Amino acid sequence: VTVVAGSGGLGGCTATAADRTGGLELRYERREEPVGLAIWTLETDGILRFAGGRDAILGRESWRGPVSEEDLARLRAVAEGLLRVSATEPAEPAEPAKAASTVRTRLDLRTPEGRRRLRRAGDPSDLEPLLRILLELSAARLDPVLQRLPRPTEPPVAGAREP
């Protein structure tokens, strides 16, 4: 999973009138071999962009949506925690990845306090809170489809034949 920030590509965190994130930018990329790919990008405009599957492979956006102030605060808190991790921590863990893992994770993160780039094999536990928020927010792309689905009817009447 890769989170990519800003149309300028994590170039800088200068606050502007359009800065809704407090300078937070990120790109999270999660690749699962042989073909799974998901990319989340948050730019300072406060819009979360998602590309999944074929769209991600072809460099196309699948969905975009605004992030609420409450969710931006959650993202900032997680980002600040990731920046507090020791700067001496290697971008790749010293221990070898499990041979069975086909997942590769990349994170590019920038805030006014600093920048962090992480590359991991597998699903790293230190990035789990961030991934969980991104999955939750990007699930909103399914809302229009779910709203069109038929609603469950009343419970069946006693003696009625079920389809």
Side-chain angles (χ1 to χ4, degrees):
V1 175
T2 299
V3 180
V4 178
S7 47
L10 294 176
C13 287
T14 306
T16 66
D19 183 351
R20 290 193 50 241
T21 67
L24 172 64
E25 297 178 276
L26 61 85
R27 176 178 171 97
Y28 192 97
E29 183 176 314
R30 184 175 188 278
R31 182 178 302 270
E32 187 165 359
E33 298 300 332
V35 295
L37 178 61
I39 301 172
W40 291 265
T41 304
L42 178 67
E43 300 180 10
T44 58
D45 62 2
I47 302 295
L48 180 65
R49 289 156 178 86
F50 172 78
R54 184 178 184 152
D55 285 341
I57 292 167
L58 296 174
R60 295 188 305 220
E61 190 175 278
S62 303
W63 173 86
R64 72 169 51 190
V67 179
S68 71
E69 292 300 321
E70 178 181 326
D71 290 326
L72 285 172
R74 291 170 52 207
L75 286 167
R76 278 191 296 272
V78 170
E80 289 166 4
L82 288 170
L83 287 174
R84 279 193 296 271
V85 174
S86 170
T88 61
E89 177 187 325
E92 293 287 345
E95 67 276 356
K98 295 177 185 170
S101 178
T102 59
V103 176
R104 300 289 178 262
T105 302
R106 294 175 45 184
L107 171 65
D108 293 327
L109 174 67
R110 183 183 288 268
T111 72
E113 289 76 34
R115 181 176 185 164
R116 187 87 198 247
R117 286 187 164 184
L118 301 171
R119 308 292 182 260
R120 299 281 202 278
D123 284 315
S125 60
D126 58 338
L127 298 182
E128 183 182 346
L130 178 59
L131 178 58
R132 194 174 29 237
I133 294 170
L134 294 171
L135 287 168
E136 175 189 320
L137 295 176
S138 62
R141 72 190 187 282
L142 304 174
D143 288 348
V145 174
L146 295 175
Q147 294 301 320
R148 290 192 307 264
L149 292 175
R151 301 285 180 242
T153 58
E154 295 293 320
V157 177
R161 207 173 120 199
E162 291 196 26

